[in-house]
Amino acid sequence: MLKGTFPTDKFKALTTPFYYYNIELLKETLNTVKTEAGKYGYHVHYAVKANANPRILSTIAEYGLGADCVSGGEIQAALDAGFPAGKIVYAGVGKADWEINLGLDNNIFCFNVESAAELEVLNSLAAAKDKVASIALRINPEVDAHTHAKITTGMKENKFGINLSQLNSVLDTLKGMKNVKLIGIHSHIGSQITDMSSFRNLVIRFNEILDELEAQGITLENINFGGGLGIDYYHPNHLSIPAFDNYFAAINKLLKVRPRQQVHFEPGRSVVAQCGSLISRVLYVKEGETKKFCILDAGFTELIRPAMYDAYHRIENISSDEAVELYDVVGPICESSDVFGKEVELNKAHRGDLIALRSAGAYGEVMASQYNCRKLPKAYYSDTL
Ligand SMILES: Cc1ncc(COP(=O)(O)O)c(C=O)c1O
């Protein structure tokens, strides 16, 4: 069984569970993103929600990416990590006044506005500061992302963005506003998208919208396609860097870019997922009547994706090379949903073995909770361990 490469000896002295980040892989991924986006002059704003660990953020900031934030806390984390305010975009259906003010005070690049109601508030908060906020309208493009229902965002029934049928009335409202300036349009249709046709459909929809706007005399300087590029959770050892080349090429092939128009992206998962693993220890191997359970000291408090989205993570016993057996791999949390995988092929497990849950760099540590009065997990990095 091919496994990831880990400094297992160094892990032995550490208290589990913890997150381990392969910084070399993160840097390789960032180089790839920069090279592939650079071919077309595209701007990349890393989606902080995927992983807001300060070390990860500052590494990404060093590579010159911007930041995509969905809360005031994320704006602050991005600024603290060294992302320039001029490269920060801010989306979210429920921006509180203090969060908008934080963005205004720091002169962030763009507010991705999600409703007419938000526009009114932003305009008045900006007026109170005698400022003009740059905005993009987040459109709900009615494009199916063909992904898990809980991470689909671009359909009518989702709470995100302005419906296409309401776009003209929002544009009318904007005409009377002095403290917001429309600089672009934005969409984010969902996450873990592996079917490129969803992105192609988004580009086609954007081309139509931009044509219609142009017919009304509106040419926007910025187009933002959001994030969503999926990763291969099944093959983290072979396909550790997502195919950014195909992704940007697919967009570039179809997109009708107008002169001076800038194109933006907000990838999160695809940048950080493969560099992170959750490392845990086997507490017990429990022989049930029909099943064998491998009970870990990590639970959904450290990695909630399997419980929340039925997500698959590859699980490896990095302490054992013995013959493979089938286990239900579970955590210690007092909830039946605290299961990482059923019928998982693992090298024979023993109490104390180290178990790696792979591809956990995105929506892992950042979603950890203290349910059951547990401690938040620590993080270690390949270059400082
Ligand atoms: C507005 C916005 N942009 C970008 C992202 C990043 O998405 P992903 O991690 O799938 O690339 C998200 C995540 O759902 C988002 O809500």
Side-chain angles (χ1 to χ4, degrees):
M1 182 186 219
L2 181 66
K3 294 187 221 174
T5 316
F6 293 101
T8 316
D9 279 343
K10 290 183 181 162
F11 285 175
K12 280 183 189 153
L14 304 175
T15 303
T16 47
F18 60 84
Y19 272 89
Y20 173 72
Y21 293 106
N22 181 337
I23 297 295
E24 291 76 28
L25 177 58
L26 174 61
K27 290 183 173 176
E28 235 183 286
T29 308
L30 289 166
N31 269 326
T32 309
V33 173
K34 282 198 74 170
T35 307
E36 297 306 329
K39 285 182 183 164
Y40 313 102
Y42 291 165
H43 303 271
V44 178
H45 308 260
Y46 164 68
V48 173
K49 66 191 296 201
N51 189 321
N53 172 313
R55 177 72 213 283
I56 300 292
L57 286 186
S58 59
T59 305
I60 296 171
E62 278 164 25
Y63 277 72
L65 273 63
D68 160 47
C69 301
V70 293
S71 71
E74 286 191 0
I75 293 176
Q76 195 58 58
L79 291 169
D80 292 348
F83 287 95
K87 288 186 179 179
I88 292 180
V89 294
Y90 175 26
V93 287
K95 300 180 181 80
D97 292 16
W98 74 266
E99 297 178 300
I100 292 175
N101 281 328
L102 183 67
L104 289 170
D105 290 341
N106 285 285
N107 301 317
I108 62 168
F109 170 59
C110 189
F111 290 83
N112 293 334
V113 171
E114 309 224 8
S115 65
E118 179 192 331
L119 205 50
E120 302 278 352
V121 173
L122 177 55
N123 187 52
S124 68
L125 291 175
K129 292 179 183 292
D130 209 11
K131 290 196 168 195
V132 176
S134 295
I135 65 153
L137 296 177
R138 176 170 179 175
I139 312 286
N140 183 332
E142 289 158 39
V143 169
D144 194 342
H146 300 292
T147 184
H148 191 281
K150 284 191 183 157
I151 47 176
T152 292
T153 53
M155 301 293 283
K156 255 188 203 151
E157 59 271 26
N158 300 127
K159 66 179 176 180
F160 300 99
I162 294 163
N163 290 323
L164 282 172
S165 60
Q166 294 164 333
L167 182 57
N168 280 334
S169 96
V170 173
L171 288 171
D172 278 345
T173 313
L174 257 172
K175 282 181 196 149
M177 294 183 167
K178 294 197 166 51
N179 296 87
V180 287
K181 180 175 181 242
L182 180 64
I183 63 162
I185 56 167
H186 168 248
S187 265
H188 169 76
I189 55 171
S191 203
Q192 185 51 18
I193 300 170
T194 49
D195 178 354
M196 282 296 143
S197 68
S198 300
F199 292 120
R200 285 193 205 101
N201 291 338
L202 178 61
V203 179
I204 291 166
R205 186 54 50 85
F206 263 42
N207 284 340
E208 290 164 3
I209 296 170
L210 290 165
D211 282 344
E212 274 176 41
L213 290 176
E214 222 164 42
Q216 297 179 35
I218 304 170
T219 306
L220 297 173
E221 296 145 54
N222 297 282
I223 311 170
N224 184 337
F225 286 107
L229 179 64
I231 65 139
D232 192 328
Y233 281 94
Y234 289 86
H235 302 100
N237 301 316
H238 303 296
L239 297 167
S240 53
I241 300 184
F244 290 104
D245 49 353
N246 293 343
Y247 172 59
F248 291 125
I251 304 267
N252 181 66
K253 195 166 170 200
L254 284 178
L255 181 64
K256 222 168 98 186
V257 187
R258 275 77 177 167
R260 289 182 299 284
Q261 234 164 21
Q262 304 292 312
V263 183
H264 302 255
F265 293 86
E266 304 169 342
R269 183 191 311 270
S270 52
V271 179
V272 291
Q274 297 290 30
C275 77
S277 295
L278 174 62
I279 309 295
S280 171
R281 273 195 176 84
V282 177
L283 288 175
Y284 305 102
V285 176
K286 176 173 164 177
E287 304 273 354
E289 259 181 40
T290 55
K291 280 175 177 281
K292 213 170 348 183
F293 295 96
C294 180
I295 303 173
L296 305 183
D297 62 3
F300 72 47
T301 40
E302 287 73 42
L303 180 62
I304 202 169
R305 298 189 64 258
M308 195 154 144
Y309 310 124
D310 299 315
Y312 171 85
H313 283 266
R314 191 179 152 90
I315 306 174
E316 297 170 359
N317 184 342
I318 57 174
S319 296
S320 164
D321 282 324
E322 289 178 56
V324 165
E325 298 187 354
L326 287 183
Y327 299 89
D328 278 15
V329 180
V330 303
I333 309 302
C334 288
E335 299 284 345
S336 306
S337 59
D338 190 28
V339 176
F340 287 124
K342 292 191 171 172
E343 311 268 299
V344 177
E345 287 188 0
L346 272 189
N347 294 104
K348 187 176 169 67
H350 313 268
R351 175 172 165 80
D353 282 357
L354 289 162
I355 303 291
L357 289 117
R358 305 293 307 281
S359 315
Y363 308 105
E365 186 186 359
V366 77
M367 282 188 166
S369 79
Q370 292 192 292
Y371 182 51
N372 285 187
C373 293
R374 286 166 65 83
K375 289 198 172 81
L376 289 174
K378 281 194 175 176
Y380 297 95
Y381 311 92
S382 56
D383 58 345
T384 51
L385 192 64

